[in-house]
Amino acid sequence: MEKPKFSKLFLLGFGFFGISIVWPLYNAYVPIFLKDFSLSSTSIGFVMTIDNIFAIFMLPLIGVLSDQTRTRFGRRMPYILIGAPLAGLFFALIPITREMHLLWFMMLNIIFMNFFMAFFRSPVIALMPDITPSKYRSQANGIINFMGGLGALIAYFVGKPLYDKNYALPFWLGALVMVLALILVVIFIKEDEKYRIKSSEKVKLDNVFKKSFSELMTNLKEVFASKEKSLLMMLLSILFWFIGYNALETFFTSYAKFRVGISESTGALILGFFSLTFMLFSIPAGFIGYKIGRKKAMTIGLITVVSITLLTMFAVWTINEAKTLTYVMFVLFALGGIGWGMVNVNSLPTVVDMTVQEKVGGYTGLYYFFSMSANIIAPPLAGLFIDKVGYDSLIIFSAIFFLIAIVTLQYVKKGDVK
């Protein structure tokens, strides 16, 4: 496999770009729509975990299933061709269900939208290691994360004025952009001929499912039963650092308002700086992982993130002037985004480089199984500590899980740049 062209990787990045346009809009506005039906915050919180529940069960299975799939379009493309248009359709219908004021119809749209988003996510992400040699995967993942970050920023900054004009516009434009972005991937990214079959050949679907379930069980056995624990330690590291990250992401605006004494919008802007520097540093983070090794880069990134969380807590305790404290937090979280880039960009290539090319989709699914599990564990667990101890516990909670991830990461002996 030859070194991929960066133009090709940017085109592949449109897949992640399209996905990343949709989720910020969904997370920002669907809870507000659900409030129209007088639902409790607990009920809304449950609805907002549907995507993670689908992800936990579907991403590993669909990843393995796409490994086993052979069609004239390739092994990943059929899932994109089916999943992206249907996910876009149901996403676009969500504001219409609000207008109709039919809760059952809105819930049906939300469930189908989340199902079809999960249907094509693993295959899209698995295309990166499919077309990229092992030693270049950190740089490739950096480019893809850059494109994802760009999509999220566009959703935040363009979504607001559109929403103010008509609350349906961000959904309709977001759906259109996602589908167009995935069409670009299908047109310009060509899968290897060995994953295609001629139209005269027949593939039995039940055999594909049987092989997929068998392969999934084998992958899970490799995680827990293997004497060499690198894969398990890597996946646990991913679980731990995403618990720390998701706790901060979920409750930081509340922490900013109720503990620090600044507005929730300012807290959101501080998180925006974190996202901005993460996006800008995604590509350099991939090159750093290539030069010094992925494990070392991820360790440096985690140490950086732990440092900014502890410095944030120290600043809140010692700086009494709100304006000064706000500026300090902007700087700290901007540095944190750089550290997070070092961690996030180099993690998926580490996981997929622990297996053979034929099982990349399955291992991509394992990566998302553990990262999405964190999305379900972190909010209620961190919320429990906040309820019992207070908002200061949020920073300590996140820092502890980042520190645990540093420890488990040191036991990873495989998956680095070859």
Side-chain angles (χ1 to χ4, degrees):
M1 196 186 293
E2 62 182 14
K3 181 179 179 180
K5 294 179 180 177
F6 283 110
S7 58
K8 190 175 183 181
L9 291 172
F10 272 107
L11 283 167
L12 178 56
F14 273 101
F16 206 31
F17 173 87
I19 292 169
S20 299
I21 283 268
V22 164
W23 286 124
L25 298 172
Y26 177 83
N27 290 327
Y29 301 121
V30 168
I32 296 169
F33 293 178
L34 291 169
K35 270 294 181 188
D36 291 351
F37 300 95
S38 303
L39 295 181
S40 68
S41 295
T42 304
S43 300
I44 292 170
F46 176 75
V47 172
M48 297 307 289
T49 63
I50 289 174
D51 59 322
N52 299 314
I53 293 168
F54 271 124
I56 278 181
F57 292 106
M58 287 183 64
L59 295 187
L61 178 60
I62 296 293
V64 173
L65 191 61
S66 70
D67 284 340
Q68 304 296 332
T69 300
R70 299 292 182 271
T71 73
R72 61 194 180 96
F73 301 106
R75 59 176 177 169
R76 315 290 187 201
M77 295 304 176
Y79 299 90
I80 301 172
L81 287 167
I82 294 169
L86 288 171
L89 172 64
F90 288 111
F91 183 66
L93 286 173
I94 289 173
I96 296 173
T97 62
R98 184 195 192 189
E99 184 72 29
M100 296 168 70
H101 205 72
L102 293 171
L103 179 59
W104 69 268
F105 193 25
M106 177 177 281
M107 287 304 304
L108 202 63
N109 270 278
I110 286 171
I111 289 168
F112 276 115
M113 175 246 170
N114 280 289
F115 174 85
F116 285 111
M117 288 296 288
F119 188 79
F120 74 92
R121 183 164 183 165
S122 285
V124 167
I125 304 303
L127 279 170
M128 182 278 287
D130 280 354
I131 68 169
T132 309
S134 169
K135 66 178 181 177
Y136 298 115
R137 284 174 180 167
S138 284
Q139 298 100 305
N141 204 38
I143 291 170
I144 287 170
N145 273 275
F146 173 84
M147 293 294 286
L150 183 63
L153 285 176
I154 289 172
Y156 284 127
F157 288 106
V158 177
K160 185 186 183 308
L162 288 175
Y163 185 87
D164 290 342
K165 287 185 177 180
N166 184 324
Y167 61 78
L169 288 177
F171 288 82
W172 295 345
L173 187 63
L176 180 63
V177 170
M178 181 186 74
V179 173
L180 291 175
L182 270 300
I183 287 172
L184 287 175
V185 172
V186 171
I187 292 172
F188 290 104
I189 303 300
K190 301 301 178 187
E191 294 194 66
D192 196 301
E193 283 297 323
K194 67 183 178 182
Y195 301 127
R196 299 170 183 267
I197 60 167
K198 296 174 184 176
S199 57
S200 59
E201 295 180 48
K202 301 291 182 184
V203 175
K204 291 185 177 179
L205 193 61
D206 61 332
N207 288 346
V208 172
F209 273 99
K210 284 177 185 176
K211 286 180 70 179
S212 298
F213 276 108
S214 173
E215 193 67 44
L216 179 59
M217 292 303 105
T218 302
N219 290 346
L220 289 171
K221 187 177 179 181
E222 286 175 8
V223 173
F224 294 102
S226 173
K227 290 182 179 179
E228 212 291 316
K229 299 298 182 184
S230 287
L231 178 58
L232 176 61
M233 289 296 115
M234 186 64 210
L235 291 171
L236 286 176
S237 301
I238 290 164
L239 175 71
F240 293 141
W241 72 52
F242 271 112
I243 288 175
Y245 173 77
N246 281 304
L248 271 181
E249 186 181 42
T250 303
F251 290 108
F252 184 76
T253 51
S254 301
Y255 174 83
K257 182 173 184 177
F258 299 116
R259 173 62 181 90
V260 182
I262 59 179
S263 70
E264 61 267 38
S265 61
T266 303
L269 194 59
I270 292 169
L271 285 179
F273 268 70
F274 185 96
S275 298
L276 178 62
T277 53
F278 165 72
M279 182 197 78
L280 295 175
F281 201 71
S282 290
I283 295 174
F287 280 94
I288 291 169
Y290 172 70
K291 288 293 183 183
I292 69 172
R294 293 168 187 155
K295 177 179 168 181
K296 191 179 289 186
M298 287 185 286
T299 302
I300 293 169
L302 283 170
I303 291 169
T304 303
V305 173
V306 169
S307 299
I308 72 106
T309 54
L310 295 176
L311 286 169
T312 297
M313 184 171 63
F314 181 74
V316 171
W317 286 351
T318 56
I319 300 173
N320 295 319
E321 208 276 309
K323 192 173 182 180
T324 303
L325 178 58
T326 304
Y327 285 134
V328 169
M329 292 173 77
F330 272 119
V331 172
L332 287 174
F333 272 72
L335 293 172
I338 293 173
W340 187 240
M342 298 269 279
V343 175
N344 218 14
V345 164
N346 290 292
S347 55
L348 177 62
T350 303
V351 172
V352 296
D353 269 8
M354 292 186 190
T355 190
V356 294
Q357 192 69 24
E358 287 72 24
K359 296 169 72 173
V360 158
Y363 272 53
T364 302
L366 288 176
Y367 170 90
Y368 279 108
F369 177 87
F370 280 81
S371 61
M372 293 296 174
S373 295
N375 288 2
I376 294 175
I377 295 168
L381 190 58
L384 179 66
F385 276 95
I386 291 169
D387 288 339
K388 298 293 184 184
V389 185
Y391 276 101
D392 279 332
S393 67
L394 174 65
I395 303 296
I396 298 169
F397 178 92
S398 291
I400 287 171
F401 276 96
F402 289 135
L403 283 167
I404 296 171
I406 292 174
V407 174
T408 53
L409 184 62
Q410 303 319 301
Y411 291 93
V412 176
K413 308 299 181 187
K414 294 168 63 180
D416 221 316
V417 177
K418 296 173 184 175

